[in-house]
Amino acid sequence: MDAARARKLADRIQQVVAEMLERRIKDPRLGFVTVTDARVTADLSDATVYYTVFGSEAERADTAAALESAKGIIRSEVGRQTGLRHTPALTFVHDPLPDSARHMNDLFELAKKKDAEIARQAEGAKFAGDAEPYRFEDDLDTEAAEEEGEDEPTGRAGHPAR
């Protein structure tokens, strides 16, 4: 089948399911649900609907049970609104993306605090050796001239004038 057709159907299924959950499904176990994505197989036989639930693990489990029990009603409405000869079988999957994003934000905050602490500790620190421990080509030329006994006039400290 056509991948573009599968994407269009997935978008339509996402809209229909979200509308059904908002207006028609009155199960008290259904929590604050957001339909985040829908994907349809290339042969249009299976559709996976991804959702998130605002709340605790118990509310997430209750919502999963409510979606499972309402699957038949939702599937028949999807078939009616899409006009397909064979309505895809629906599978509801909890979307872990918001939880992952929240975890990443927590990690970024921790890294930011550690960076601030290291910067605070490094404020009064001094170098263990020279501030610039590397030798540059100008420095090597000056040292070679000094070894030969030539004194060149300098434009600034330690560097020959040009």
Side-chain angles (χ1 to χ4, degrees):
M1 286 286 168
D2 188 18
R5 182 175 181 207
R7 277 194 307 272
K8 286 179 186 178
L9 181 61
D11 290 342
R12 184 66 186 135
I13 289 173
Q14 181 179 354
Q15 291 172 352
V16 170
V17 170
E19 187 177 295
M20 288 285 294
L21 294 177
E22 184 179 339
R23 294 197 174 92
R24 296 215 15 226
I25 306 297
K26 301 297 182 196
D27 193 326
R29 298 175 295 176
L30 200 61
F32 187 70
V33 180
T34 302
V35 178
T36 57
D37 195 14
R39 298 206 179 135
V40 179
T41 58
D43 63 355
L44 308 180
S45 63
D46 294 310
T48 305
V49 179
Y50 295 91
Y51 67 94
T52 61
V53 180
F54 184 73
S56 66
E57 283 294 323
E59 290 171 328
R60 192 176 295 163
D62 288 345
T63 299
L67 289 172
E68 199 61 36
S69 69
K71 187 186 288 189
I73 297 168
I74 295 171
R75 183 173 182 224
S76 64
E77 185 66 20
V78 165
R80 190 180 69 72
Q81 289 196 23
T82 57
L84 292 173
R85 181 179 297 168
H86 299 288
T87 305
L90 297 179
T91 305
F92 291 98
V93 176
H94 180 263
D95 191 358
L97 187 66
D99 296 333
S100 300
R102 191 175 312 111
H103 179 67
M104 290 296 292
N105 282 337
D106 293 344
L107 291 176
F108 286 140
E109 284 299 318
L110 180 65
K112 197 183 291 185
K113 287 178 185 175
K114 294 234 184 222
D115 285 349
E117 181 181 331
I118 290 171
R120 184 183 48 80
Q121 289 175 351
E123 262 177 18
K126 296 189 190 296
F127 291 104
D130 256 352
E132 284 194 42
Y134 302 105
R135 300 174 76 180
F136 296 101
E137 198 169 311
D138 290 344
D139 296 336
L140 296 174
D141 292 342
T142 304
E143 287 177 12
E146 288 174 358
E147 287 176 6
E148 292 176 7
E150 300 175 16
D151 283 331
E152 295 182 22
T154 58
R156 56 189 178 123
H159 296 283
R162 295 195 187 234

